[in-house]
Amino acid sequence: MQQSELEQLVDDLSVTYFKKPFIDYVNFNQRLRTTGGRYLPSVRRIELNPKYLEELGMNEFIGIIKHELCHYHLHIAGKGYKHGDKEFKQLLKETNSPRHCQALPTTLQKSLIEYVCHECGQHYQRRRKIDLSKYRCGKCQGRLQKVEVSKTFYNFK
């Protein structure tokens, strides 16, 4: 998607859902890793993660744009535009915008470290290493042992 197409899409969504034009800046930001987009109130700019468009498609991407437009229009109006504000939550409902975006499938695919308890055989999968001298089994307090490192699709929700 080109910059001009992105600007047109954001303006169309703004007019359709908020009945106001989007007159400021929007751009792709390749460096965003953990979020679909962000609104920068100091410069009145929306930055969007292009990976969401590539991996999850247009419907998820439109939801992210609507979410960021909620921040934008409330900030312009001088109302509460932060996630915890009542006005923000209300506008999300009115425009049917998502509160959070989905996790990217490529970020869910991580190297997992598997541990097993010596006493009861309970298995644990973790993304990060744990200090085996500090941690014990949550079930029986037995000693843990590292089993293997596997590349697996696993969702930690």
Side-chain angles (χ1 to χ4, degrees):
M1 179 179 281
Q2 300 295 324
Q3 179 66 27
S4 59
E5 295 171 325
L6 177 64
E7 291 169 0
Q8 185 63 46
L9 175 63
V10 172
D11 190 48
D12 290 346
L13 291 171
S14 181
V15 170
T16 302
Y17 289 98
F18 301 92
K19 310 294 188 247
K20 297 174 189 171
F22 179 77
I23 57 172
D24 288 301
Y25 305 103
V26 62
N27 65 310
F28 284 118
N29 185 344
Q30 301 278 349
R31 295 179 309 260
L32 294 178
R33 292 186 181 268
T34 60
T35 185
R38 66 180 178 180
Y39 171 62
L40 303 168
S42 60
V43 290
R44 289 173 41 165
R45 179 174 60 221
I46 293 175
E47 295 182 343
L48 299 167
N49 188 341
K51 295 175 204 152
Y52 276 83
L53 179 59
E54 296 164 9
E55 293 184 28
L56 294 174
M58 187 57 87
N59 286 339
E60 182 72 17
F61 193 64
I62 286 173
I64 292 167
I65 294 171
K66 287 171 31 181
H67 176 99
E68 299 308 325
L69 284 171
C70 288
H71 288 296
Y72 171 78
H73 285 295
L74 287 170
H75 177 250
I76 299 299
K79 298 180 181 176
Y81 63 93
K82 297 180 181 176
H83 284 121
D85 294 333
K86 186 178 178 181
E87 293 96 349
F88 180 73
K89 291 177 184 178
Q90 183 63 36
L91 189 57
L92 284 178
K93 285 182 185 175
E94 289 173 9
T95 59
N96 197 21
S97 301
R99 182 149 166 101
H100 303 285
C101 57
Q102 296 178 24
L104 287 169
T106 54
T107 61
L108 293 175
Q109 193 170 4
K110 296 283 184 176
S111 295
L112 296 178
I113 303 168
E114 192 166 337
Y115 298 93
V116 66
C117 175
H118 274 285
E119 309 298 321
C120 67
Q122 175 72 33
H123 285 264
Y124 297 94
Q125 289 184 331
R126 298 290 180 265
R127 287 187 181 168
R128 295 183 181 181
K129 293 179 186 177
I130 61 172
D131 186 355
L132 297 176
S133 65
K134 286 184 179 180
Y135 294 97
R136 298 283 192 146
C137 174
K139 194 173 180 182
C140 72
Q141 301 303 312
R143 289 187 314 120
L144 297 175
Q145 180 183 10
K146 185 176 174 179
V147 177
E148 66 180 64
V149 177
S150 60
K151 186 88 170 179
T152 308
F153 184 82
Y154 193 84
N155 192 352
F156 282 90
K157 282 190 178 179

